[in-house]
Amino acid sequence: MANPSILILAGDGIGPEVMAEVKKVITWYGDTRDIHFDVSEGLVGGVAYDAHGAPLSDETMARAQEVDAVLLGAVGGPKYDTLDFSVKPERGLLRLRKEMDLFSNLRPAQCFDALADFSSLKKDVVAGLDIMIVRELTSGIYFGEPRGIFPDNEGGRVGINTQRYTTDEIRRVARSAFELAKRRGNKVCSMEKANVMESGILWREEVQWVHDNEYPEVELSHMYADNGAMQLVRWPKQFDVIVTDNLFGDVLSDCAAMLTGSLGMLPSASLGAPMANGRPKALYEPVHGSAPDIAGQGKANPIASILSFAMALRYSFDLGDEATRLEKAVEKVLTEGARTADLMGPEGGKPISTSEMGDVIIAALNSSL
C-alpha cells in the first residue's frame, strides 16, 4: 500500500521555523516506528504571492485536494498589509478551507498541568482541562446572503449580514461532534441562541434529530451560547465536546483558547467529507499567527504545530496510540521544565530555542519506546 501523503505549507513568519520541528517528528516516526509518509511541500500566503502573484497557486490548490492531509504553518505579515484584499496572504488559507469544503473546525483546549499557572483563571479551575470545540466553518453569518453596506432611506447607511443554515449543514457538523465524543467522554453540548434566533431554533432541532436518530448513546445537552461563554470561564471542565455555529464558534473557541494560558500551545484541525480512501479532507494548523516580530530568531514555540500533527495522526491516519505518544512526549518535556520564550514564568530562567524544543520532544519520544 502507498504511504499516506502530506502536503506541508509552511507559509510566512515563524511558519517555516515551527514546521521544521514538525518535519523532525515526521522523520522520527519513519525511522523509529516504521510509519512513513510521502511528504511534499508548497507555498501559501505572502511567500506564494512573492513567487506567483497569488497567495495560493492553482497547482498547490490541486495538490491539497489530492493529499491525505495538509499541514500549514502560518500566513501574513506587515510586508503584505498594503496588498489588495483579493491577494492578501490570508486569502490563500481561506481558499483552502473553501475549496476543500472543510466544514468542521476542531479546536481543542487542553491545559497541561505544568502550565496551569499561565491561565488567568485559578489553577484548580483549569488544571487537567481537556475540551474540544467543534465549529461549523463554511456557512452561517460569515457567508450568508444578502450582505453588505447599503444606503438607507434616511441619508445614512445600513450594514447587513445574514445568518443562514440548512438542515444538511447542521447535521453534518453535528455528526462530526458526535463521532468525536464517542472517542472521548461521550458527551456533547450544542450551543446556539434558540431563544432569539430562528436559525438557532433550527440548529437545536437538527442537532437533536441527529442525536435521536443516529447517536442516542451519546449524552446531548443544549445551551444558549451566551451562557456557554459564562460557563467556560466559570467551570470549563463540565464540558467535553461543544458544537456550535460559525460565529459563536469563532468567539467561544478563542475564549476557550485563553483558558490554557498560551496561544503557542494550541493546535487545530479543519475536516471535510471523506475521500475515496475513507480519510476526510483535512487541514491541520496551529492557532497562533505568523508572529513576524520574532521570525527568524529561534524564539517561536513549535508545540502547537507539533500537536497539530498529533491531531493528524489521530483524525486522518487512525493512529490514536501514536498521537497519544506524541502528546505525552510534549507533556513530559513541559513537566521537566522545558520552556520557549513565550512560556517563561516570573521565576525567570533561560528559554530554549525553537529547534531545541523540537530536539527535547524527539528525546522524549525516544524515551517512550
Side-chain angles (χ1 to χ4, degrees):
M1 294 178 63
N3 296 328
S5 56
I6 294 174
L7 173 62
I8 290 179
L9 303 174
D12 306 316
I14 63 172
E17 296 170 71
V18 296
M19 202 55 69
E21 304 315 303
V22 176
K23 287 190 277 189
K24 288 181 184 177
V25 175
I26 294 173
T27 299
W28 183 87
Y29 272 98
D31 293 344
T32 309
R33 301 293 294 152
D34 199 27
I35 299 172
H36 300 275
F37 300 93
D38 291 335
V39 178
S40 57
E41 299 193 49
L43 301 177
V44 69
V47 289
Y49 177 82
D50 291 340
H52 306 296
L56 186 72
S57 70
D58 292 342
E59 292 77 11
T60 303
M61 185 67 245
R63 179 61 182 153
Q65 296 280 25
E66 296 168 354
V67 296
D68 294 313
V70 176
L71 304 182
L72 189 139
V75 297
K79 174 182 176 181
Y80 308 103
D81 286 348
T82 59
L83 291 178
D84 184 80
F85 181 77
S86 64
V87 291
K88 283 185 177 294
E90 294 76 12
R91 303 305 295 177
L93 174 57
L94 293 176
R95 183 183 177 190
L96 285 164
R97 290 174 176 171
K98 178 178 176 61
E99 295 192 21
M100 294 174 70
D101 196 18
L102 304 175
F103 60 86
S104 181
N105 181 226
L106 279 52
R107 288 275 297 266
Q110 183 178 11
C111 186
F112 293 99
D113 287 347
L115 299 180
D117 288 330
F118 280 75
S119 175
S120 56
L121 298 186
K122 294 177 181 177
K123 184 173 183 177
D124 66 308
V125 174
V126 296
L129 178 68
D130 181 11
I131 63 177
M132 178 75 77
I133 294 183
V134 180
R135 168 191 174 191
E136 199 289 322
L137 198 60
T138 59
S139 189
I141 202 165
Y142 293 164
F143 295 93
E145 298 288 347
R147 62 182 295 158
I149 300 174
F150 308 97
D152 64 17
N153 295 326
E154 300 176 357
R157 297 186 299 162
V158 57
I160 297 175
N161 289 92
T162 302
Q163 169 78 335
R164 178 186 184 278
Y165 271 105
T166 67
T167 290
D168 288 344
E169 290 168 342
I170 298 169
R171 289 185 181 182
R172 67 181 185 175
V173 75
R175 291 185 182 104
S176 178
F178 286 122
E179 287 291 339
L180 278 169
K182 287 169 63 177
R183 303 186 186 196
R184 295 169 48 92
N186 212 43
K187 185 169 64 172
V188 171
C189 181
S190 175
M191 296 188 184
E192 25 60 16
K193 286 289 287 180
N195 55 335
V196 292
M197 299 172 67
E198 285 78 5
S199 62
I201 295 172
L202 180 68
W203 184 280
R204 180 174 291 213
E205 291 176 349
E206 296 296 349
V207 172
Q208 188 69 50
W209 186 95
V210 173
H211 170 267
D212 294 347
N213 289 275
E214 301 177 14
Y215 298 93
E217 73 280 11
V218 179
E219 179 184 338
L220 172 64
S221 61
H222 300 276
M223 187 176 289
Y224 298 142
D226 51 345
N227 183 34
M230 181 181 72
Q231 296 297 330
L232 275 173
V233 296
R234 187 187 73 84
W235 189 247
K237 286 186 277 191
Q238 68 184 279
F239 299 112
D240 179 31
V241 174
I242 295 170
V243 62
T244 189
D245 73 10
N246 207 339
L247 174 61
F248 295 137
D250 196 354
V251 175
L252 293 170
S253 60
D254 278 8
C255 175
M258 288 317 299
L259 299 177
T260 68
S262 174
L263 283 175
M265 293 291 300
L266 297 173
S268 76
S270 298
L271 306 180
M275 298 181 289
N277 61 10
R279 296 188 176 112
K281 290 284 184 72
L283 182 148
Y284 300 90
E285 59 179 320
V287 171
H288 64 68
S290 61
D293 56 318
I294 61 169
Q297 301 175 37
K299 295 180 179 179
N301 184 350
I303 289 178
S305 289
I306 289 171
L307 291 176
S308 293
F309 177 63
M311 293 186 77
L313 291 173
R314 176 168 282 114
Y315 298 120
S316 281
F317 306 124
D318 200 24
L319 294 168
D321 289 345
E322 297 301 336
T324 299
R325 180 191 303 277
L326 181 52
E327 291 160 353
K328 287 188 176 297
V330 169
E331 184 174 16
K332 181 176 188 290
V333 302
L334 293 173
T335 300
E336 293 175 351
R339 299 286 187 271
T340 45
D342 62 306
L343 299 178
M344 296 303 296
E347 68 277 4
K350 182 180 179 181
I352 63 176
S353 69
T354 307
S355 62
E356 288 170 334
M357 180 61 85
D359 291 342
V360 296
I361 290 172
I362 293 296
L365 284 169
N366 284 328
S367 70
S368 74
L369 299 176

